[in-house]
């Protein structure tokens, strides 16, 4: 069916606006970077806050006006070795989440032996720049060390291992890490049943409530989330997740909300954002937050201008849904630069998934995010 004419014109205007904003941002970044290189000999681009025009206002400043955290996953290695990465991170984002550094394999590779080095690097940067930190996931079926994955635990042993891990990690960051993904991907792909993992096998489904209780004991002020993918729209998996969260609340388990990963993969050509908004409202009506925890959109490489414009529109529509939702406190991109994104290594042939390119030039997705934060309403 043909799209109505007014809709097409509206979309075209948005594409043009996104492209113009991105082009403007690109030109200004390049001009200022060149000036800086020829003037002082420094190779580092200045913070974007020195820019003028529409690109001048960083996302975090725009987001603050909407009472929203704009966040990103961070690569803790790039954080120490790449000054330009640190600059954009500090300038643009108000919340950071370690992409891998607070996962179980990174923090407790041997029972009782904790390594907080990666997480501490992230926390130090966040402190320096006044950013909130979201940690986790505390419990996931993936990226566990062999002693966990292969653990043939009794119920009591498994609960003791969970206690040690959660108290060790959350306790270390008590009062510092403001929110945690407590349990990640507890439901199987269709949402019909619990996803198999070592905790389900040794404890049963109440491992979820136990994990939340331990996290709350370790830091009573921390905001605790249940996170999953394919829960952005009304459907069986989303219904199950809301029921699960409400069941936890009814038992007095301190869960604040749901995290929706929102990775957009190949094959998804369009998203009905009215359904996303409906879902966000239903979650709020159930008394829960709905945070977008891991947005990105991989496109076939090499990415064309129209792919990137589509990505920009999608970023804008999704963030707009969050901005106008009753309880969407955070929008987190899963990596902010194509220089460090999980997509190309795990989905060969796809990439260009984030708001900045590999040279840290803003893309139409950056402009889309900015436009959503600027839009009235
Ligand atoms: O830690 C080893 C390191 O020792 C080794 O030198 C290196 C060599 O390749 O590999 C390192 O581990 C990799 C790790 O990232 C850290 O770089 C793993 O192989 C790799 O599988 C892992 O990928 C991560 C992936 O989770 C694992 O599933 C991605 O970076 C990370 O972006 C991704 O994030 C997940 C979220 O946590 C949950 N939602 C889905 C999302 C995407 O899969």
């Amino acid at each position: 069916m043909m799209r109505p004419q007014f809709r097409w014109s509206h979309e075209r205007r948005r594409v043009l606006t996104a492209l113009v904003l991105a082009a403007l941002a690109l030109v200004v970044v390049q001009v200022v970077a060149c000036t800086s290189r020829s003037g002082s000999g420094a190779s580092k681009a200045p913070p974007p806050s020195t820019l003028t025009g529409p690109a001048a206002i960083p996302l975090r400043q725009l987001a603050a006006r909407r009472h929203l955290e704009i966040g990103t996953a961070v690569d803790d290695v790039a954080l120490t070795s790449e000054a330009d990465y640190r600059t954009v991170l500090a300038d643009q984002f108000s919340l950071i989440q370690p992409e891998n550094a607070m996962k179980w394999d990174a923090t407790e590779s041997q029972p009782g032996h904790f390594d907080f080095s990666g997480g501490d690097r992230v926390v130090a940067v966040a402190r320096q720049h006044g950013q909130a930190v979201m940690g986790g996931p505390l419990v996931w079926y993936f990226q566990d060390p062999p002693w966990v994955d292969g653990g043939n635990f009794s119920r009591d042993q498994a609960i003791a291992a969970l206690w040690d891990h959660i108290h060790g990690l959350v306790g270390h960051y008590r009062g510092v890490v403001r929110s945690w993904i407590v349990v990640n991907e507890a439901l199987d792909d269709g949402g019909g049943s619990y996803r198999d993992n070592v905790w389900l096998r040794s404890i049963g489904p109440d491992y979820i409530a136990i994990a939340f209780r331990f996290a709350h004991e370790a830091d009573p002020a921390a905001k605790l989330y249940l996170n999953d993918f394919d829960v952005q729209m009304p459907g069986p998996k989303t219904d199950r997740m809301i029921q699960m969260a409400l069941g936890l609340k009814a038992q007095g388990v301190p869960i604040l909300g749901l995290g929706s990963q929102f990775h957009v993969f190949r094959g998804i050509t369009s998203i009905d954002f009215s359904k996303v908004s409906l879902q966000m409202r239903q979650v709020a009506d159930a008394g829960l937050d709905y945070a977008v925890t891991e947005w990105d959109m991989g496109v076939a490489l090499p990415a064309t201008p129209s792919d990137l414009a589509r990505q920009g529109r999608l970023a804008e529509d999704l963030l707009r849904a969050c901005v106008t939702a009753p309880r969407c406190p955070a929008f987190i991109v899963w990596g902010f630069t194509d220089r460090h994104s999980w997509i190309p290594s795990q989905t060969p042939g796809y990439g260009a998934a984030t708001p900045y390119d590999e040279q840290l030039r803003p893309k139409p997705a950056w402009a889309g995010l900015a436009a959503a934060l600027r839009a009235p309403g």
Side-chain angles (χ1 to χ4, degrees):
M1 199 171 72
M2 290 269 292
R3 279 176 157 171
Q5 188 59 33
F6 77 91
R7 174 79 182 137
W8 164 239
S9 305
H10 175 67
E11 287 216 338
R12 205 161 54 171
R13 263 202 313 277
R14 285 202 312 165
V15 172
L16 283 173
T17 308
L19 286 172
V20 167
L21 278 175
L24 188 56
L26 191 63
V27 166
V28 179
V29 166
Q30 283 177 332
V31 166
V32 179
C34 280
T35 311
S36 147
R37 268 197 297 277
S38 56
S40 66
S43 62
K44 184 166 76 88
S49 56
T50 61
L51 304 179
T52 54
I57 306 178
L59 296 177
R60 66 182 291 182
Q61 204 174 313
L62 294 171
R65 294 179 191 165
R66 311 308 295 256
H67 309 290
L68 173 86
E69 303 283 11
I70 183 89
T72 179
V74 292
D75 179 321
D76 63 294
V77 178
L79 210 52
T80 45
S81 53
E82 298 172 18
D84 56 350
Y85 183 90
R86 280 197 302 277
T87 300
V88 175
L89 176 69
D91 204 60
Q92 297 287 327
F93 297 96
S94 59
L95 178 153
I96 60 183
Q97 181 177 167
E99 186 171 352
N100 291 298
M102 289 189 192
K103 289 175 177 171
W104 200 312
D105 63 347
T107 51
E108 196 190 1
S109 60
Q110 296 296 325
H113 295 277
F114 284 89
D115 179 352
F116 300 118
S117 54
D120 287 355
R121 280 198 290 275
V122 173
V123 163
V125 165
R127 272 204 165 126
Q128 196 184 345
H129 300 291
Q131 294 159 316
V133 180
M134 176 180 263
L138 298 173
V139 183
W140 191 21
Y141 75 95
F142 204 64
Q143 277 183 284
D144 287 331
W147 73 271
V148 170
D149 254 353
N152 189 16
F153 302 124
S154 67
R155 178 179 160 90
D156 286 352
Q157 286 169 333
I159 290 174
L162 276 185
W163 194 97
D164 287 345
H165 183 70
I166 294 172
H167 273 263
L169 187 55
V170 177
H172 179 76
Y173 292 112
R174 183 181 171 119
V176 174
V177 169
R178 197 187 287 173
S179 53
W180 289 93
I181 300 295
V182 179
V183 178
N184 191 31
E185 300 172 8
L187 294 174
D188 66 8
D189 286 2
S193 46
Y194 292 105
R195 186 181 292 281
D196 178 55
N197 66 31
V198 65
W199 313 111
L200 185 68
R201 267 175 266 136
S202 49
I203 300 173
D206 58 330
Y207 83 85
I208 299 168
I210 290 170
F212 273 88
R213 287 209 162 97
F214 289 167
H216 183 67
E217 282 167 15
D219 186 350
K223 299 172 178 176
L224 307 180
Y225 287 88
L226 183 66
N227 200 51
D228 217 320
F229 58 87
D230 286 347
V231 292
Q232 58 267 30
M233 305 244 199
K237 185 166 179 178
T238 322
D239 292 347
R240 183 79 195 275
M241 194 160 161
I242 294 177
Q243 280 163 16
M244 196 159 75
L246 291 181
L248 292 169
K249 279 188 92 166
Q251 296 168 50
V253 173
I255 173 172
L256 180 68
L258 308 185
S260 172
Q261 294 188 8
F262 232 118
H263 297 286
V264 182
F265 285 101
R266 62 188 147 173
I268 300 184
T269 50
S270 68
I271 291 177
D272 183 344
F273 284 95
S274 66
K275 288 190 176 163
V276 175
S277 291
L278 173 67
Q279 186 56 51
M280 288 178 172
R281 273 200 308 278
Q282 282 177 351
V283 172
D285 289 347
L288 297 159
D289 279 8
Y290 175 123
V292 177
T293 49
E294 301 187 14
W295 179 75
D296 61 15
M297 176 176 166
V299 299
L301 297 174
T304 65
S306 95
D307 289 334
L308 297 181
R310 194 162 54 92
Q311 187 183 58
R313 284 198 302 276
L314 191 135
E316 179 177 350
D317 286 340
L318 178 56
L319 180 51
R320 183 105 187 91
C322 174
V323 166
T324 53
R327 289 186 62 166
C328 184
F331 183 102
I332 301 169
V333 297
W334 202 242
F336 65 89
T337 162
D338 297 341
R339 192 190 293 170
H340 300 292
S341 160
W342 69 292
I343 300 271
S345 64
Q346 297 198 20
T347 315
Y350 282 75
T354 77
Y356 285 83
D357 71 10
E358 296 191 359
Q359 282 73 47
L360 290 174
R361 292 173 299 207
K363 294 161 57 185
W366 180 92
L369 296 174
L373 293 169
R374 278 201 188 90

